[in-house]
Amino acid sequence: MNIYLISEYVKRLTKEDIIKFSKSQGVTLENRELDIIYEYIKKYYKTFIYGNPRPILDDIKTKVKPLTYNKIETLYKEFKDKV
């Protein structure tokens, strides 16, 4: 994966992008969840790609609804398997 392209994408990522994606996945986010997910993507995207995101996922799990967390976990596994 080209980290430069990913970095540029994350820089330009907006909360509206996250809302659209979550809706396309059948999940409606509360404002608080949106803020949390946005912050974690901006801060930890490299860990999700190259590191061990388990501590981050565990932290997110305590901050969002179970349905939202389950979808995050499922999507992470799906995309990680593709890489």
Side-chain angles (χ1 to χ4, degrees):
M1 241 186 252
N2 186 327
I3 193 62
Y4 174 76
L5 292 175
I6 294 168
S7 295
E8 289 301 309
Y9 180 80
V10 171
K11 279 184 203 173
R12 291 176 174 82
L13 185 69
T14 66
K15 289 182 180 180
E16 186 62 35
D17 295 328
I18 295 170
I19 291 168
K20 287 179 187 175
F21 181 75
S22 69
K23 284 184 180 177
S24 78
Q25 297 298 311
V27 177
T28 301
L29 298 173
E30 296 174 355
N31 287 335
R32 183 183 61 79
E33 291 177 313
L34 175 61
D35 293 340
I36 290 165
I37 292 167
Y38 180 79
E39 176 187 338
Y40 277 75
I41 291 171
K42 291 285 192 173
K43 220 179 212 184
Y44 300 113
Y45 72 94
K46 289 181 183 175
T47 302
F48 278 97
I49 297 168
Y50 299 112
N52 175 14
R54 179 51 44 203
I56 298 166
L57 289 169
D58 290 344
D59 192 36
I60 291 170
K61 187 176 187 175
T62 66
K63 297 178 179 181
V64 298
K65 295 180 293 193
L67 176 66
T68 301
Y69 177 77
N70 289 338
K71 193 61 172 184
I72 290 169
E73 180 93 18
T74 300
L75 289 170
Y76 171 74
K77 288 177 183 174
E78 284 178 21
F79 287 113
K80 193 66 175 176
D81 288 344
K82 289 182 182 182
V83 177

Coordinates of all heavy atoms in Angstrom, one line a residue:
M1 N 0.8 -1.2 0.0 CA 0.0 0.0 0.0 C 0.9 1.2 0.0 O 1.9 1.3 0.7 CB -0.9 0.0 1.3 CG -2.3 0.0 1.0 SD -3.3 0.1 2.5 CE -3.9 -1.5 2.6
N2 N 0.5 2.2 -0.7 CA 1.2 3.5 -0.8 C 0.8 4.4 0.4 O -0.3 4.9 0.3 CB 1.0 4.1 -2.1 CG 1.9 5.3 -2.4 OD1 2.2 6.0 -1.4 ND2 2.2 5.6 -3.6
I3 N 1.7 4.5 1.3 CA 1.4 5.3 2.5 C 1.1 6.8 2.2 O 0.3 7.4 2.8 CB 2.4 5.2 3.6 CG1 1.9 5.7 5.0 CG2 3.7 5.8 3.2 CD1 0.7 5.1 5.5
Y4 N 1.8 7.3 1.1 CA 1.6 8.7 0.7 C 0.1 8.9 0.3 O -0.5 9.9 0.7 CB 2.5 9.1 -0.4 CG 2.2 10.4 -0.9 CD1 2.6 11.6 -0.2 CD2 1.5 10.6 -2.1 CE1 2.3 12.9 -0.7 CE2 1.2 11.9 -2.6 CZ 1.6 13.0 -1.9 OH 1.3 14.2 -2.3
L5 N -0.4 8.0 -0.5 CA -1.8 8.1 -1.0 C -2.8 8.0 0.2 O -3.8 8.8 0.3 CB -2.1 7.1 -2.0 CG -1.4 7.2 -3.4 CD1 -1.7 6.0 -4.3 CD2 -1.8 8.5 -4.1
I6 N -2.5 7.1 1.1 CA -3.4 6.9 2.2 C -3.3 8.2 3.1 O -4.4 8.7 3.6 CB -3.0 5.7 3.0 CG1 -3.3 4.4 2.2 CG2 -3.8 5.6 4.3 CD1 -2.7 3.2 2.7
S7 N -2.2 8.7 3.3 CA -2.0 9.9 4.2 C -2.8 11.1 3.6 O -3.4 11.8 4.3 CB -0.5 10.3 4.3 OG 0.2 9.3 5.0
E8 N -2.7 11.2 2.3 CA -3.4 12.3 1.6 C -4.9 12.1 1.7 O -5.6 13.1 1.9 CB -3.0 12.4 0.1 CG -1.6 13.0 -0.1 CD -1.4 14.3 0.5 OE1 -2.2 15.2 0.3 OE2 -0.4 14.5 1.3
Y9 N -5.3 10.9 1.5 CA -6.8 10.6 1.7 C -7.3 10.9 3.1 O -8.3 11.6 3.3 CB -7.1 9.1 1.4 CG -8.5 8.8 1.5 CD1 -9.4 9.1 0.5 CD2 -9.0 8.2 2.6 CE1 -10.8 8.9 0.6 CE2 -10.4 8.0 2.8 CZ -11.3 8.3 1.7 OH -12.6 8.0 1.9
V10 N -6.5 10.5 4.1 CA -6.9 10.8 5.5 C -6.9 12.3 5.8 O -7.8 12.8 6.5 CB -6.0 10.0 6.5 CG1 -6.3 10.4 7.9 CG2 -6.2 8.5 6.3
K11 N -5.9 13.0 5.2 CA -5.9 14.4 5.4 C -7.2 15.1 4.9 O -7.7 16.1 5.5 CB -4.7 15.1 4.7 CG -3.4 15.0 5.4 CD -2.4 15.7 4.6 CE -1.0 15.2 4.9 NZ 0.0 15.8 4.0
R12 N -7.7 14.6 3.8 CA -8.9 15.2 3.2 C -10.2 14.6 3.7 O -11.3 15.1 3.4 CB -8.8 15.0 1.7 CG -7.7 15.8 1.1 CD -7.6 15.5 -0.4 NE -6.7 16.4 -1.1 CZ -5.4 16.2 -1.2 NH1 -4.8 15.2 -0.6 NH2 -4.6 17.0 -1.8
L13 N -10.1 13.6 4.5 CA -11.3 12.9 5.0 C -12.1 13.8 5.8 O -11.6 14.5 6.7 CB -10.9 11.7 5.8 CG -12.0 10.8 6.3 CD1 -12.7 10.0 5.2 CD2 -11.5 9.8 7.4
T14 N -13.4 13.9 5.6 CA -14.3 14.7 6.4 C -15.3 13.8 7.1 O -15.5 12.6 6.9 CB -15.2 15.6 5.4 OG1 -16.0 14.8 4.6 CG2 -14.2 16.5 4.6
K15 N -16.0 14.4 8.1 CA -17.0 13.7 8.8 C -18.2 13.3 7.9 O -18.8 12.3 8.1 CB -17.5 14.6 10.0 CG -16.5 14.7 11.1 CD -17.0 15.5 12.3 CE -16.0 15.6 13.4 NZ -16.4 16.3 14.5
E16 N -18.4 14.1 6.9 CA -19.5 13.8 5.9 C -19.1 12.5 5.2 O -20.0 11.7 4.9 CB -19.7 15.0 5.0 CG -20.8 14.8 4.0 CD -22.2 14.6 4.7 OE1 -22.4 15.3 5.8 OE2 -23.0 13.9 4.2
D17 N -17.8 12.4 4.8 CA -17.4 11.1 4.2 C -17.7 9.9 5.1 O -18.1 8.9 4.6 CB -15.9 11.2 3.9 CG -15.5 12.2 2.9 OD1 -16.3 12.5 2.0 OD2 -14.4 12.7 3.0
I18 N -17.4 10.0 6.4 CA -17.7 8.9 7.3 C -19.2 8.7 7.4 O -19.6 7.5 7.4 CB -17.1 9.3 8.7 CG1 -15.5 9.3 8.5 CG2 -17.5 8.2 9.7 CD1 -14.8 9.8 9.8
I19 N -20.0 9.7 7.4 CA -21.4 9.5 7.5 C -21.9 8.8 6.3 O -22.7 7.8 6.4 CB -22.2 10.9 7.6 CG1 -21.9 11.5 9.0 CG2 -23.7 10.7 7.4 CD1 -22.3 13.0 9.1
K20 N -21.5 9.2 5.1 CA -21.9 8.5 3.8 C -21.5 7.1 3.8 O -22.3 6.2 3.4 CB -21.3 9.3 2.6 CG -22.0 10.6 2.3 CD -21.3 11.2 1.2 CE -21.8 12.6 0.9 NZ -21.1 13.3 -0.1
F21 N -20.2 6.8 4.2 CA -19.8 5.4 4.2 C -20.5 4.6 5.2 O -20.9 3.4 4.9 CB -18.3 5.4 4.5 CG -17.7 3.9 4.5 CD1 -17.5 3.3 3.3 CD2 -17.5 3.3 5.7 CE1 -17.1 2.0 3.3 CE2 -17.0 1.9 5.7 CZ -16.8 1.3 4.4
S22 N -20.8 5.1 6.4 CA -21.5 4.3 7.4 C -22.9 4.0 7.0 O -23.4 2.9 7.2 CB -21.5 5.0 8.8 OG -22.3 6.2 8.8
K23 N -23.5 5.0 6.3 CA -24.9 4.7 5.8 C -24.9 3.7 4.7 O -25.8 2.8 4.7 CB -25.5 6.0 5.3 CG -26.0 6.9 6.5 CD -26.7 8.1 6.0 CE -27.1 9.0 7.1 NZ -27.8 10.2 6.7
S24 N -23.8 3.7 3.9 CA -23.7 2.7 2.8 C -23.5 1.3 3.4 O -23.8 0.3 2.8 CB -22.6 3.0 1.9 OG -21.3 2.7 2.4
Q25 N -23.1 1.2 4.7 CA -22.8 -0.1 5.4 C -24.0 -0.4 6.3 O -23.9 -1.4 7.1 CB -21.5 0.0 6.2 CG -20.3 0.2 5.3 CD -20.1 -0.9 4.3 OE1 -20.1 -2.1 4.7 NE2 -19.9 -0.6 3.1
G26 N -25.1 0.4 6.3 CA -26.2 0.1 7.1 C -26.2 0.6 8.5 O -26.9 0.1 9.4
V27 N -25.3 1.5 8.8 CA -25.1 2.0 10.2 C -25.3 3.5 10.2 O -24.7 4.2 9.4 CB -23.7 1.7 10.7 CG1 -23.5 2.2 12.1 CG2 -23.4 0.2 10.7
T28 N -26.2 3.9 11.1 CA -26.4 5.3 11.4 C -25.6 5.7 12.6 O -25.9 5.1 13.7 CB -27.9 5.7 11.5 OG1 -28.5 5.2 10.3 CG2 -28.1 7.1 11.7
L29 N -24.7 6.6 12.5 CA -23.9 7.0 13.7 C -24.5 8.2 14.4 O -25.1 9.1 13.8 CB -22.5 7.5 13.2 CG -21.7 6.5 12.5 CD1 -20.4 7.1 11.9 CD2 -21.3 5.3 13.4
E30 N -24.4 8.1 15.8 CA -24.7 9.3 16.6 C -23.6 10.3 16.5 O -22.5 9.9 16.1 CB -24.9 8.8 18.0 CG -26.0 7.8 18.3 CD -26.0 7.3 19.7 OE1 -25.1 7.6 20.5 OE2 -26.9 6.6 20.0
N31 N -23.9 11.5 16.8 CA -22.9 12.6 16.6 C -21.6 12.2 17.4 O -20.5 12.4 17.0 CB -23.4 13.9 17.0 CG -24.3 14.5 16.0 OD1 -24.3 14.2 14.8 ND2 -25.3 15.4 16.5
R32 N -21.8 11.7 18.6 CA -20.7 11.4 19.5 C -19.8 10.3 18.9 O -18.6 10.3 18.9 CB -21.2 10.9 20.9 CG -20.2 10.6 21.9 CD -20.8 10.1 23.2 NE -21.5 8.9 23.0 CZ -21.0 7.7 22.9 NH1 -19.7 7.5 23.0 NH2 -21.8 6.6 22.8
E33 N -20.5 9.3 18.3 CA -19.8 8.2 17.6 C -19.0 8.7 16.4 O -17.9 8.3 16.2 CB -20.8 7.1 17.2 CG -21.4 6.3 18.3 CD -22.4 5.3 17.9 OE1 -23.2 5.7 17.0 OE2 -22.3 4.2 18.3
L34 N -19.6 9.6 15.7 CA -19.0 10.2 14.5 C -17.7 10.9 14.9 O -16.6 10.7 14.3 CB -19.9 11.2 13.8 CG -19.3 11.9 12.6 CD1 -18.9 11.0 11.5 CD2 -20.4 12.9 12.1
D35 N -17.8 11.7 16.0 CA -16.6 12.4 16.5 C -15.5 11.5 16.9 O -14.3 11.7 16.6 CB -17.0 13.3 17.7 CG -17.9 14.5 17.3 OD1 -17.9 14.8 16.1 OD2 -18.5 15.0 18.2
I36 N -15.9 10.4 17.6 CA -14.9 9.4 18.1 C -14.2 8.7 16.9 O -13.0 8.6 16.8 CB -15.6 8.4 19.0 CG1 -16.0 9.0 20.3 CG2 -14.7 7.2 19.2 CD1 -17.0 8.2 21.1
I37 N -15.0 8.2 15.9 CA -14.4 7.5 14.8 C -13.5 8.4 14.0 O -12.5 8.1 13.5 CB -15.6 6.9 13.9 CG1 -16.3 5.8 14.7 CG2 -15.1 6.4 12.6 CD1 -17.6 5.3 14.2
Y38 N -14.0 9.7 13.7 CA -13.2 10.6 13.0 C -11.8 10.9 13.7 O -10.8 10.8 13.0 CB -14.0 11.9 12.9 CG -13.3 13.0 12.1 CD1 -13.2 13.0 10.7 CD2 -12.7 14.1 12.8 CE1 -12.6 14.0 10.0 CE2 -12.0 15.1 12.1 CZ -12.0 15.1 10.7 OH -11.3 16.1 10.1
E39 N -11.9 11.1 15.0 CA -10.6 11.3 15.7 C -9.7 10.1 15.6 O -8.5 10.3 15.4 CB -11.0 11.6 17.2 CG -9.8 11.8 18.1 CD -10.1 11.9 19.5 OE1 -11.3 12.3 19.9 OE2 -9.2 11.6 20.3
Y40 N -10.2 8.9 15.8 CA -9.4 7.7 15.8 C -8.8 7.5 14.4 O -7.6 7.1 14.3 CB -10.2 6.5 16.3 CG -10.2 6.4 17.8 CD1 -11.0 7.3 18.5 CD2 -9.4 5.5 18.4 CE1 -11.0 7.2 19.9 CE2 -9.4 5.4 19.8 CZ -10.2 6.3 20.6 OH -10.2 6.2 21.9
I41 N -9.6 7.7 13.4 CA -9.0 7.5 12.0 C -7.9 8.5 11.8 O -6.8 8.1 11.3 CB -10.1 7.7 10.9 CG1 -11.1 6.6 11.0 CG2 -9.5 7.9 9.5 CD1 -12.3 6.8 10.1
K42 N -8.1 9.8 12.1 CA -7.1 10.8 11.9 C -5.8 10.5 12.7 O -4.7 10.7 12.2 CB -7.6 12.2 12.3 CG -8.7 12.7 11.4 CD -8.1 13.2 10.1 CE -9.1 14.0 9.3 NZ -8.6 14.6 8.1
K43 N -6.0 10.0 13.9 CA -4.9 9.8 14.8 C -4.1 8.5 14.6 O -2.9 8.5 14.7 CB -5.4 9.9 16.2 CG -4.6 10.6 17.2 CD -5.3 10.5 18.6 CE -5.0 11.8 19.4 NZ -5.5 11.7 20.7
Y44 N -4.9 7.5 14.3 CA -4.3 6.1 14.3 C -4.4 5.3 13.0 O -4.2 4.1 13.1 CB -5.0 5.3 15.4 CG -4.9 5.9 16.8 CD1 -6.0 6.4 17.5 CD2 -3.7 6.0 17.5 CE1 -5.9 7.0 18.7 CE2 -3.6 6.5 18.7 CZ -4.7 7.0 19.3 OH -4.6 7.6 20.6
Y45 N -4.6 5.9 11.9 CA -4.7 5.2 10.7 C -3.5 4.3 10.4 O -3.6 3.2 9.9 CB -5.1 6.1 9.5 CG -4.0 7.0 9.0 CD1 -3.2 6.5 7.9 CD2 -3.8 8.2 9.5 CE1 -2.2 7.4 7.5 CE2 -2.8 9.0 9.1 CZ -2.0 8.6 8.1 OH -1.0 9.4 7.6
K46 N -2.3 4.8 10.7 CA -1.1 4.0 10.4 C -1.0 2.8 11.3 O -0.6 1.7 10.8 CB 0.2 4.9 10.6 CG 0.4 5.9 9.6 CD 1.6 6.7 9.8 CE 1.8 7.9 8.8 NZ 2.9 8.7 9.1
T47 N -1.5 2.9 12.5 CA -1.5 1.7 13.4 C -2.5 0.7 12.8 O -2.2 -0.5 12.8 CB -1.9 2.1 14.8 OG1 -1.0 3.0 15.3 CG2 -2.0 0.9 15.7
F48 N -3.6 1.1 12.3 CA -4.6 0.2 11.7 C -4.0 -0.5 10.5 O -4.3 -1.7 10.2 CB -5.9 0.9 11.3 CG -6.8 1.1 12.5 CD1 -6.8 2.2 13.2 CD2 -7.6 0.0 12.8 CE1 -7.7 2.4 14.2 CE2 -8.5 0.2 13.9 CZ -8.5 1.4 14.6
I49 N -3.1 0.1 9.7 CA -2.5 -0.5 8.6 C -1.3 -1.3 8.9 O -1.2 -2.4 8.4 CB -2.1 0.7 7.6 CG1 -3.4 1.4 7.1 CG2 -1.4 0.0 6.4 CD1 -3.1 2.7 6.3
Y50 N -0.4 -0.8 9.7 CA 0.9 -1.5 9.9 C 1.1 -2.1 11.3 O 2.0 -2.8 11.5 CB 2.0 -0.5 9.6 CG 2.0 0.1 8.2 CD1 1.7 1.4 8.0 CD2 2.3 -0.7 7.2 CE1 1.7 1.9 6.7 CE2 2.3 -0.2 5.9 CZ 2.0 1.1 5.7 OH 2.0 1.6 4.4
G51 N 0.3 -1.7 12.3 CA 0.6 -2.1 13.6 C -0.5 -3.0 14.2 O -1.2 -3.7 13.5
N52 N -0.5 -3.0 15.5 CA -1.5 -3.8 16.2 C -2.6 -2.9 16.8 O -2.4 -2.2 17.8 CB -0.9 -4.6 17.4 CG -1.9 -5.3 18.2 OD1 -3.0 -5.5 17.9 ND2 -1.4 -5.7 19.4
P53 N -3.8 -2.9 16.1 CA -4.8 -1.9 16.5 C -5.7 -2.5 17.7 O -6.6 -1.8 18.1 CB -5.7 -1.8 15.3 CG -5.6 -3.1 14.6 CD -4.1 -3.6 14.9
R54 N -5.4 -3.6 18.2 CA -6.3 -4.2 19.2 C -6.5 -3.3 20.4 O -7.7 -3.1 20.8 CB -5.7 -5.5 19.7 CG -6.5 -6.2 20.8 CD -8.0 -6.4 20.6 NE -8.3 -6.9 19.3 CZ -9.5 -6.7 18.7 NH1 -10.5 -6.1 19.4 NH2 -9.8 -7.2 17.5
P55 N -5.5 -2.6 21.0 CA -5.8 -1.7 22.1 C -6.7 -0.5 21.7 O -7.6 -0.1 22.4 CB -4.4 -1.1 22.5 CG -3.5 -2.2 22.0 CD -4.1 -2.8 20.8
I56 N -6.5 -0.1 20.4 CA -7.4 1.0 19.9 C -8.8 0.5 19.7 O -9.8 1.2 20.1 CB -6.8 1.6 18.6 CG1 -5.4 2.1 18.8 CG2 -7.8 2.6 18.0 CD1 -4.7 2.4 17.5
L57 N -9.0 -0.6 19.2 CA -10.3 -1.2 19.0 C -11.0 -1.4 20.3 O -12.2 -1.2 20.5 CB -10.2 -2.5 18.2 CG -9.9 -2.3 16.7 CD1 -9.6 -3.7 16.1 CD2 -11.0 -1.7 15.9
D58 N -10.2 -1.9 21.3 CA -10.8 -2.1 22.6 C -11.3 -0.8 23.3 O -12.3 -0.8 23.9 CB -9.8 -2.8 23.5 CG -9.5 -4.3 23.2 OD1 -10.3 -4.8 22.4 OD2 -8.5 -4.8 23.6
D59 N -10.5 0.2 23.0 CA -10.9 1.6 23.5 C -12.2 2.1 22.8 O -13.1 2.6 23.5 CB -9.8 2.5 23.4 CG -10.0 3.8 24.1 OD1 -10.6 3.8 25.2 OD2 -9.6 4.9 23.6
I60 N -12.2 1.9 21.5 CA -13.4 2.3 20.7 C -14.6 1.5 21.2 O -15.7 2.1 21.3 CB -13.2 2.1 19.2 CG1 -12.1 3.1 18.7 CG2 -14.5 2.3 18.5 CD1 -11.7 2.8 17.3
K61 N -14.5 0.3 21.5 CA -15.6 -0.6 21.9 C -16.3 0.0 23.2 O -17.5 -0.2 23.3 CB -15.0 -2.0 22.2 CG -16.1 -3.0 22.5 CD -15.5 -4.4 22.7 CE -16.6 -5.4 22.8 NZ -16.0 -6.8 22.9
T62 N -15.5 0.7 24.0 CA -16.1 1.2 25.2 C -16.9 2.5 25.0 O -17.5 3.0 25.9 CB -15.1 1.4 26.3 OG1 -14.2 2.4 25.9 CG2 -14.3 0.1 26.6
K63 N -16.7 3.1 23.8 CA -17.2 4.4 23.5 C -18.3 4.5 22.5 O -18.9 5.6 22.3 CB -16.0 5.3 23.0 CG -15.0 5.5 24.0 CD -13.8 6.3 23.5 CE -12.8 6.5 24.6 NZ -11.7 7.3 24.2
V64 N -18.6 3.4 21.8 CA -19.7 3.4 20.8 C -20.7 2.3 21.1 O -20.4 1.4 21.8 CB -19.1 3.3 19.3 CG1 -18.2 4.4 19.0 CG2 -18.4 1.9 19.1
K65 N -21.8 2.3 20.4 CA -22.8 1.3 20.5 C -22.3 0.0 20.0 O -21.5 -0.1 19.1 CB -24.1 1.7 19.7 CG -24.8 2.9 20.1 CD -26.0 3.2 19.2 CE -25.5 3.5 17.8 NZ -26.5 4.0 16.9
P66 N -22.8 -1.1 20.6 CA -22.3 -2.5 20.2 C -22.5 -2.7 18.7 O -21.6 -3.3 18.1 CB -23.2 -3.4 21.0 CG -23.5 -2.6 22.2 CD -23.7 -1.2 21.8
L67 N -23.6 -2.3 18.1 CA -23.8 -2.5 16.7 C -22.8 -1.7 15.9 O -22.2 -2.3 14.9 CB -25.2 -1.9 16.3 CG -25.6 -2.0 14.8 CD1 -25.6 -3.4 14.3 CD2 -26.9 -1.3 14.5
T68 N -22.5 -0.5 16.3 CA -21.4 0.3 15.6 C -20.1 -0.4 15.7 O -19.4 -0.6 14.7 CB -21.4 1.7 16.2 OG1 -22.7 2.3 16.0 CG2 -20.3 2.5 15.5
Y69 N -19.8 -0.8 16.9 CA -18.5 -1.5 17.1 C -18.4 -2.8 16.3 O -17.3 -3.0 15.7 CB -18.2 -1.8 18.6 CG -16.9 -2.5 18.7 CD1 -15.7 -1.8 18.6 CD2 -16.9 -3.9 18.9 CE1 -14.5 -2.5 18.7 CE2 -15.6 -4.6 18.9 CZ -14.5 -3.9 18.8 OH -13.3 -4.5 18.9
N70 N -19.4 -3.6 16.3 CA -19.4 -4.8 15.5 C -19.1 -4.6 14.1 O -18.4 -5.3 13.4 CB -20.7 -5.6 15.7 CG -20.8 -6.2 17.1 OD1 -19.8 -6.4 17.8 ND2 -22.0 -6.5 17.5
K71 N -19.7 -3.5 13.5 CA -19.5 -3.2 12.1 C -18.1 -2.7 11.9 O -17.4 -3.1 10.9 CB -20.5 -2.1 11.7 CG -20.6 -1.9 10.2 CD -21.0 -3.2 9.5 CE -21.2 -3.0 8.1 NZ -21.8 -4.2 7.4
I72 N -17.5 -1.9 12.8 CA -16.1 -1.5 12.7 C -15.2 -2.7 12.7 O -14.3 -2.8 11.8 CB -15.8 -0.5 13.9 CG1 -16.5 0.8 13.7 CG2 -14.2 -0.3 14.0 CD1 -16.4 1.7 15.0
E73 N -15.4 -3.6 13.6 CA -14.6 -4.8 13.7 C -14.7 -5.7 12.4 O -13.7 -6.1 11.9 CB -15.0 -5.7 14.9 CG -14.3 -6.9 15.1 CD -13.1 -6.8 16.1 OE1 -13.1 -5.8 16.8 OE2 -12.2 -7.6 16.0
T74 N -15.9 -5.8 11.9 CA -16.1 -6.6 10.7 C -15.4 -6.0 9.5 O -14.7 -6.6 8.7 CB -17.6 -6.8 10.4 OG1 -18.2 -7.4 11.5 CG2 -17.9 -7.5 9.1
L75 N -15.6 -4.7 9.4 CA -15.0 -4.0 8.2 C -13.5 -4.0 8.3 O -12.8 -4.1 7.3 CB -15.5 -2.5 8.2 CG -16.9 -2.4 7.7 CD1 -17.4 -0.9 7.9 CD2 -17.1 -2.8 6.3
Y76 N -12.9 -3.8 9.5 CA -11.5 -3.8 9.7 C -11.0 -5.2 9.2 O -10.0 -5.3 8.5 CB -11.1 -3.6 11.2 CG -9.6 -3.9 11.4 CD1 -8.7 -3.0 10.9 CD2 -9.2 -5.0 12.0 CE1 -7.3 -3.2 11.0 CE2 -7.8 -5.3 12.1 CZ -6.9 -4.4 11.7 OH -5.6 -4.7 11.8
K77 N -11.6 -6.3 9.7 CA -11.1 -7.6 9.3 C -11.2 -7.8 7.8 O -10.3 -8.4 7.2 CB -11.9 -8.7 10.0 CG -11.6 -8.8 11.5 CD -12.5 -9.8 12.2 CE -12.2 -9.8 13.7 NZ -13.1 -10.7 14.4
E78 N -12.3 -7.4 7.2 CA -12.5 -7.5 5.7 C -11.4 -6.8 5.0 O -10.8 -7.3 4.0 CB -13.9 -7.0 5.3 CG -15.0 -7.9 5.6 CD -16.3 -7.3 5.2 OE1 -16.4 -6.4 4.3 OE2 -17.4 -7.7 5.8
F79 N -11.2 -5.5 5.3 CA -10.2 -4.7 4.6 C -8.8 -5.2 4.9 O -7.9 -5.2 4.0 CB -10.4 -3.2 4.9 CG -11.6 -2.6 4.3 CD1 -12.6 -2.2 5.1 CD2 -11.7 -2.5 2.9 CE1 -13.8 -1.7 4.5 CE2 -12.8 -2.0 2.3 CZ -13.9 -1.6 3.1
K80 N -8.5 -5.6 6.1 CA -7.2 -6.1 6.4 C -6.9 -7.4 5.7 O -5.7 -7.6 5.2 CB -7.1 -6.4 7.9 CG -5.7 -6.6 8.4 CD -4.8 -5.3 8.3 CE -3.5 -5.5 8.9 NZ -2.6 -4.4 8.7
D81 N -7.9 -8.3 5.5 CA -7.7 -9.5 4.7 C -7.4 -9.2 3.2 O -6.7 -10.0 2.6 CB -8.9 -10.4 4.8 CG -9.1 -11.0 6.2 OD1 -8.1 -11.0 7.0 OD2 -10.2 -11.5 6.5
K82 N -7.8 -8.1 2.7 CA -7.6 -7.8 1.3 C -6.2 -7.3 1.1 O -5.7 -7.3 0.0 CB -8.6 -6.7 0.9 CG -10.0 -7.2 0.7 CD -10.9 -6.1 0.2 CE -12.3 -6.6 0.1 NZ -13.2 -5.6 -0.4
V83 N -5.5 -6.8 2.1 CA -4.2 -6.2 2.0 C -3.1 -7.3 2.0 O -3.0 -8.3 2.4 CB -3.9 -5.2 3.1 CG1 -2.5 -4.7 3.0 CG2 -4.9 -4.1 3.0

